[in-house]
Amino acid sequence: METITKAEVQTGLTGGTSGTSGPALTAAGKVLNARPDRPGIAVDPGGTIFLIISFGSGENAALARAWLAEAAELGPVQWLTFADFTPETRRQLSQSLSSSLNGVRIMVVGPQFDVLQTLALARAAGALENEVRSLVTNTADLPVYCAHCRATSRVVGGVGDAVTCPACARTLEIHAHLSSVRGSYLASDALARELP
């Protein structure tokens, strides 16, 4: 975890925690933009402190660096980068989010699962909708909340698909309901209608 200043950005010393395309979503689930080469998300000039969170590398890291350079002109910046959202990532993000100060602006870029889980953490830490901006760059995987075992898991699929719950092995149907509190889609037993 590192705070980046304007001078460090200009000299190229932009480090962070190391780590390695579809529709973009805000914290509220609204479609913003589908392509990282046309991000459409600018740094909020009303912020006084900035927390940039990126998942993966390549285009995601490049977008995070662009945000970092823009935010460094306005105030202190912290950039956290992770390969993906894991229990250790959750711990580090929770710690960083819980120590956020008034005026913070949080920007998140990465695959759908990682972004939605991070937005749920930010919301649980007290972030308001206008304090958070996000860009989903890959919708291949998504978080699903199993209504039966109550686990949130990463699955490959989309709304309406049938998938196997990694936690309880039930065949689940992914519903369109996206919980912003849980950062996941609701899923329930796809075979329940067929039971006698």
Side-chain angles (χ1 to χ4, degrees), residues 77-155:
V77 181
Q78 183 179 51
W79 179 21
L80 302 177
T81 179
F82 304 95
D84 56 12
F85 193 93
T86 65
E88 178 58 19
T89 304
R90 177 184 292 279
R91 187 192 66 72
Q92 289 181 33
L93 286 172
S94 293
Q95 182 180 26
S96 191
L97 290 165
S98 67
S99 64
S100 294
L101 301 173
N102 193 24
V104 71
R105 295 299 184 264
I106 302 164
M107 301 187 75
V108 186
V109 61
Q112 183 171 221
F113 179 91
D114 306 318
V115 169
L116 291 177
Q117 289 293 286
T118 301
L119 294 177
L121 272 181
R123 195 170 287 106
L128 303 174
E129 291 299 316
N130 65 345
E131 297 174 326
V132 181
R133 295 182 180 190
S134 63
L135 180 66
V136 170
T137 57
N138 184 327
T139 58
D141 62 351
L142 69 151
V144 294
Y145 174 75
C146 177
H148 307 285
C149 71
R150 302 188 190 283
T152 298
S153 304
R154 181 188 303 255
V155 299

Side-chain angles (χ1 to χ4, degrees), residues 112 139-140 142-144 155-164 171-178 185-191 193:
Q112 183 171 221
T139 58
L142 69 151
V144 294
V155 299
V156 175
V159 172
D161 290 347
V163 297
T164 301
T171 300
L172 301 175
E173 178 182 351
I174 303 171
H175 302 289
H177 177 74
L178 172 62
Y185 287 86
L186 177 63
S188 62
D189 194 326
L191 307 176
R193 290 183 216 116

Side-chain angles (χ1 to χ4, degrees), residues 53-64:
I53 304 164
S54 64
F55 292 92
S57 57
E59 292 176 320
N60 296 351
L63 181 57

